[in-house]
Amino acid sequence: MDDFALWPVLAGAAAFFVVGALWYGVIFGKAWQKAAGISDEQVQSGNMFLIFGLTFLFEMLIAMVLWHLLARTNPAPHVIMMMAVGFAVGVMIPAIGINYLYLRKTFTHFLIDAGHFLVGMAAMGGVFVLFR
């Protein structure tokens, strides 16, 4: 595995992005909107090109870090999945949990966003297994 490989990183980020589109669209869109206290007008406002573009760039950064770790350790496929999901459970979800405590976010909001990170990282890990 190369320390950086463009296609797996792009594909892993795209998988995470697609999960987010489904998660915050058809699956939990209205529940998330209610938990976040965001109106329909607020959802439609803002520069969506910038929001989606930055989202994808952040997901690319996550994919690059995970791919680099995998390239350095060359783990078995099941370990790739453990690392991807473990990163979500051990780093990403606790980090948003800390922020949400201080922001006074609801537990429902936390669960929806935590679930997105968990499923998104599992999707990224699955893509990386395919690129091995």
Side-chain angles (χ1 to χ4, degrees):
M1 288 176 121
D2 292 328
D3 277 2
F4 177 78
L6 180 61
W7 295 117
V9 168
L10 279 173
F16 201 145
F17 192 85
V18 168
V19 166
L22 294 171
W23 200 262
Y24 293 110
V26 297
I27 301 172
F28 291 110
K30 290 298 179 187
W32 174 83
Q33 195 176 331
K34 181 179 177 188
I38 297 175
S39 69
D40 289 337
E41 293 78 27
Q42 288 173 305
V43 168
Q44 298 303 321
S45 70
N47 184 337
M48 296 314 287
F49 181 78
L50 179 65
I51 291 169
F52 290 148
L54 289 174
T55 296
F56 190 76
L57 287 176
F58 286 136
E59 290 167 347
M60 283 282 296
L61 180 59
I62 293 166
M64 287 189 293
V65 170
L66 182 58
W67 183 263
H68 177 75
L69 180 61
L70 298 174
R72 289 293 180 169
T73 58
N74 196 26
H78 74 282
V79 177
I80 291 173
M81 292 305 298
M82 289 170 57
M83 291 169 81
V85 171
F87 190 75
V89 171
V91 177
M92 299 168 84
I93 293 171
I96 65 165
I98 291 167
N99 284 346
Y100 283 21
L101 288 170
Y102 288 95
L103 291 171
R104 311 307 196 263
K105 298 290 184 179
T106 66
F107 187 59
T108 300
H109 191 176
F110 169 75
L111 288 176
I112 293 169
D113 289 345
H116 166 244
F117 284 135
L118 182 65
V119 175
M121 288 304 292
M124 184 181 290
V127 166
F128 285 172
V129 167
L130 295 175
F131 273 93
R132 279 197 46 118

